[in-house]
Structure formats: structure tokens, C-alpha cells
Amino acid sequence: MGGPSKCAGKIYSQFDNYHVRSWPVSFTTPDGYTWSSPEQCYQAQRFIPGSANWKAVRDTTSGTLQWQTGQKRKDRVNDGVDWYAKRVDVMYEANLAKYTQNEAVREVLLSTKGPIVPLDDGKGFWATWNGRILARIREELKPEGERDEEVLAALVKLFDQHREAEQQQLVVTLKTAKK
């Protein structure tokens, strides 16, 4: 989220995608890499593994610098409309790894109820989607009998609808480019 979030009036720095030092968390993704924050993992996915910018994202311990490096265009493999179709899934997978592999932050997330919103009540794309990502992960990590299956199904549907809309936009963009 680029900053702490709040849920039921309480502030949670643990929900910040940028912070790498406020809590001792690292996690490993299925590709075998270990990351210090979801933001680091997300930004690195934009680049060719092993490229200079990929390494720059991996080597920095600042969430802000990780984000800034991710904005560079050289070596990007995930850019443009196709990136928009999968960016929510990439951030979801990074956060899922974080919360499944770190008991302390998982327990904090599971202790919350209600919407998770940015501290500044932001209304942008990530202000909305990061809250949805955390809400989905919270439901998925609950024991089966405690999950609200309707809430979880609605969240999964939102993810699917977003992905489909962005993929449709990609098709339109590609057709327009061929003309």
C-alpha cells in the first residue's frame, strides 16, 4: 500500500507493502527467490530475472527505492497492457507468500475484522486493490469452518473480473495496433 493501513479504526504497519525494516519478515516465492517485502517482489517481476534492474530491486532495502527502480523501462519484460492484466495477481501472490510464511504477521491479519483501508483513505487503484488482496488472504487463511465463503467468493470474482477486463483491453489494444 505504500504506507500503513487501518482496520476497525486501528493502524497496522504490518500491512504496508513497502516496509522492510519495521518488522522482520522475508518470504520465498515459488520461483525460489527470497524477498524482503511484497513491493520488492512485485517490482522485480517487471524485469528479466538477473538483469541489472532486477538485481537493483533485489539489492535495495528501501521500499521506496524498490518502487522507484520498478519504474525504470530498461529490461522490463512485464510492461504495458499485459502487465495490467496480471499486476493484481502478482501483488496477491507476493502478499500470500508473506502471510503464509510469517506467523506473526499472519496472526495480526487474522485478528482483524472489516475493511482494510489505507491510512490516508486513498482512493487510487492500489488503495482499493491492496485492501481487497489482504481481505482475500485473510479469508483464505482462516480455518475452513471460520471462513466467510460468500465474502471469499465475491473477492475471487472481483479478481477474475479485473483480470478479464484487462485482458479484453489487451485484445482491443493489439487489434488497434495492427491497423
Side-chain angles (χ1 to χ4, degrees), residues 1 8 67-68 102 109 134 140 156:
M1 282 193 186
W67 177 84
Q68 288 172 343
N102 295 279
L109 179 62
L134 294 178
E140 290 173 337
V156 170

Side-chain angles (χ1 to χ4, degrees), residues 25-64:
V25 171
S26 66
F27 56 90
T28 304
T29 49
D31 56 11
Y33 295 108
T34 299
W35 307 97
S36 64
S37 72
E39 189 67 25
Q40 182 187 45
C41 179
Y42 174 86
Q43 294 299 338
Q45 302 313 306
R46 295 177 151 201
F47 300 107
I48 299 166
S51 68
N53 282 325
W54 184 88
K55 288 177 183 176
V57 171
R58 297 251 324 136
D59 291 344
T60 186
T61 58
S62 161
T64 302

Side-chain angles (χ1 to χ4, degrees), residues 69-108:
T69 303
Q71 306 316 298
K72 296 180 180 176
R73 299 285 184 221
K74 186 178 183 221
D75 300 328
R76 270 200 185 174
V77 291
N78 286 311
D79 203 5
V81 180
D82 60 329
W83 174 248
Y84 292 110
K86 60 185 168 187
R87 64 184 173 161
V88 169
D89 294 318
V90 170
M91 187 61 85
Y92 163 79
E93 292 295 334
N95 273 284
L96 183 62
K98 169 186 166 180
Y99 288 97
T100 57
Q101 295 176 33
N102 295 279
E103 184 178 358
V105 293
R106 179 175 58 248
E107 293 305 317
V108 170

Side-chain angles (χ1 to χ4, degrees), residues 137-157:
I137 291 169
R138 178 177 58 194
E139 287 304 317
E140 290 173 337
L141 294 179
K142 288 179 181 176
E144 197 168 315
E146 295 177 24
R147 286 185 202 138
D148 186 328
E149 296 295 344
E150 287 182 22
V151 168
L152 182 55
L155 287 164
V156 170
K157 185 176 181 178

Side-chain angles (χ1 to χ4, degrees), residues 6 10 15 39 41 56 64 77 97 104 108 110 124 130 164 179:
K6 59 186 173 182
K10 186 174 178 185
F15 299 167
E39 189 67 25
C41 179
T64 302
V77 291
V108 170
L110 290 172
N130 280 318
E164 290 168 15
K179 291 181 180 180

Side-chain angles (χ1 to χ4, degrees), residues 162-177:
H162 168 74
R163 190 179 317 102
E164 290 168 15
E166 292 294 343
Q167 288 169 342
Q168 289 173 0
Q169 182 60 43
L170 174 59
V171 169
V172 170
T173 301
L174 293 173
K175 285 181 179 178
T176 303

